[in-house]
Amino acid sequence: MKSSHERGLTLVELMLALSIVGMLVLLVGTLGVQTVTLSRESRIGLMAQQDMAFALSHFSEDVRKAAGIAKVPSSKEFALRQPKAGGFQYVTYRFAARKLQRGISAMANAAPTDWADVVDSKAFEVLRGDFDYFDGEGLSAENRQLIRRIDLVQLQVASLTTKETREVPVISAYMREPAQSRVLNGPAGDVRMDNASNKMFDFTIENVSDEDISIKYFDFVWPAGVQDASLKHVTIDGTKWQNHKKNTMGELPKPVTIKAGETAVVDIWFNDKMTVPLRLTMSLYASADTEKQAPYVVPLLVLPMK
């Protein structure tokens, strides 16, 4: 038979055991709550990552496909000109009503009628975000004709279920198309000298964009080994610039406007007889492009007179 002392120790041990069990239950419960919370946060985090990956893929691919900016952009909206089936389509991105949206239209001056949410508006609210624009050298650019890179910056979203906010890293994308690509077309094939002395030829350029183009400056890239000849004059749609020297920039006395969908004739006279066939590239620049950074490039293959 156990003594009262032995029974007392047993009671203490029982109380200690119950205390330990209670602590374990509390610990397990706490861990369970934390596990559920972490699981929910993980799901929300995964959703955010997937959603942002979707935004990244669409945004980046759209910019890479573009041949330029269709109209004056802002920090909250821009429209890309994308070549499509011999023409163009226009893809617009905008921040509006706490959403980041994407829309497509067939004309530059027409806003999209249907908008799709880039960031899922049923799961996230866009708290802020901006677009920044840069030229091909990575310098900040305001002139849309010089823009070659677009950054999606300061994008912050909030979960509609947990109210948790997330900062999205900068998304940066470059246009693959050359500047002014597919906007001003030259001759589809070769051109011929207009006289037997090989001193003159002409060709037609076409504005295949949906906007008027105002040309003010021009230049030529000559093939290696061509004699140091000079040009007697260059005429674009009746506007003449005389005594243009090789390897120098020409400036027309007044801008020449080529309306959307229309053509202009370029007439070139040399002071010297040229050796043909002659491969050269003519670059034309818009009136606003005073830095000469966004040329309309027209490659030429000039052959002798037939």
Side-chain angles (χ1 to χ4, degrees):
M1 185 175 184
K2 295 183 179 180
S3 66
S4 60
H5 176 66
E6 290 176 327
R7 287 196 300 272
L9 287 176
T10 301
L11 182 59
V12 169
E13 290 171 352
L14 179 60
M15 292 177 64
L16 286 173
L18 290 174
S19 177
I20 291 173
V21 170
M23 292 175 64
L24 289 173
V25 170
L26 179 60
L27 179 61
V28 170
T30 302
L31 288 174
V33 172
Q34 290 179 345
T35 300
V36 171
T37 302
L38 288 173
S39 177
R40 181 179 61 187
E41 291 179 351
S42 296
R43 289 197 302 271
I44 295 298
L46 181 59
M47 289 172 60
Q49 292 174 9
Q50 292 174 338
D51 203 63
M52 292 309 106
F54 178 78
L56 173 63
S57 63
H58 268 75
F59 172 81
S60 298
E61 189 59 26
D62 277 333
V63 174
R64 285 196 293 267
K65 289 179 179 178
I69 303 293
K71 53 188 176 182
V72 177
S74 71
S75 63
K76 300 298 181 184
E77 182 173 336
F78 68 87
L80 299 166
R81 179 189 289 114
Q82 289 182 348
K84 181 181 180 182
F88 296 92
Q89 71 173 8
Y90 300 88
V91 180
T92 300
Y93 278 80
R94 72 176 184 182
F95 287 101
R98 295 199 169 226
K99 299 176 181 179
L100 173 57
Q101 297 179 310
R102 174 183 184 270
I104 300 177
S105 57
M107 295 183 293
N109 57 357
T113 55
D114 294 319
W115 293 91
D117 294 334
V118 179
V119 176
D120 185 2
S121 60
K122 295 180 180 179
F124 297 96
E125 181 181 40
V126 175
L127 302 181
R128 69 171 186 237
D130 287 298
F131 301 114
D132 286 343
Y133 308 96
F134 302 87
D135 63 16
E137 303 299 322
L139 301 176
S140 180
E142 295 182 359
N143 185 336
R144 67 184 180 86
Q145 293 179 331
L146 304 182
I147 294 171
R148 306 303 301 154
R149 187 186 108 199
I150 303 177
D151 286 5
L152 174 56
V153 301
Q154 298 183 3
L155 181 58
Q156 184 185 63
V157 300
S159 168
L160 294 179
T161 55
T162 67
K163 305 305 179 182
E164 177 189 11
T165 62
R166 290 183 177 271
E167 302 282 346
V168 180
V170 173
I171 302 172
S172 181
Y174 284 84
M175 298 181 194
R176 283 191 301 235
E177 291 278 354
Q180 313 297 1
S181 171
R182 310 187 197 187
V183 174
L184 196 59
N185 281 353
D190 55 62
V191 296
R192 296 278 176 173
M193 285 287 185
D194 291 336
N195 60 9
S197 64
N198 292 342
K199 287 187 177 182
M200 61 175 290
F201 69 93
D202 62 73
F203 60 94
T204 300
I205 52 178
E206 180 184 10
N207 179 3
V208 295
S209 75
D210 53 9
E211 296 180 326
D212 296 350
I213 297 174
S214 179
I215 299 298
K216 177 68 172 176
Y217 313 96
F218 65 91
D219 196 8
F220 289 92
V221 177
W222 301 79
V226 171
Q227 64 211 42
D228 192 12
S230 61
L231 293 168
K232 184 175 182 180
H233 71 245
V234 174
T235 303
I236 302 177
D237 203 29
T239 299
K240 181 185 292 186
W241 173 249
Q242 291 181 287
N243 298 321
H244 175 69
K245 301 295 184 181
K246 180 186 173 185
N247 298 326
T248 61
M249 181 72 67
E251 181 177 352
L252 296 171
K254 63 179 181 179
V256 173
T257 299
I258 308 173
K259 294 186 176 296
E262 296 189 0
T263 61
V265 175
V266 180
D267 186 49
I268 298 175
W269 280 74
F270 297 96
N271 281 318
D272 308 291
K273 181 176 181 178
M274 300 303 294
T275 301
V276 287
L278 174 66
R279 291 185 181 273
L280 70 158
T281 300
M282 186 177 190
S283 297
L284 302 107
Y285 301 85
S287 303
D289 188 9
T290 56
E291 298 298 322
K292 318 296 187 308
Q293 294 186 14
Y296 299 93
V297 179
V298 180
L300 298 167
L301 172 59
V302 186
L303 300 179
M305 180 182 181
K306 288 185 177 180

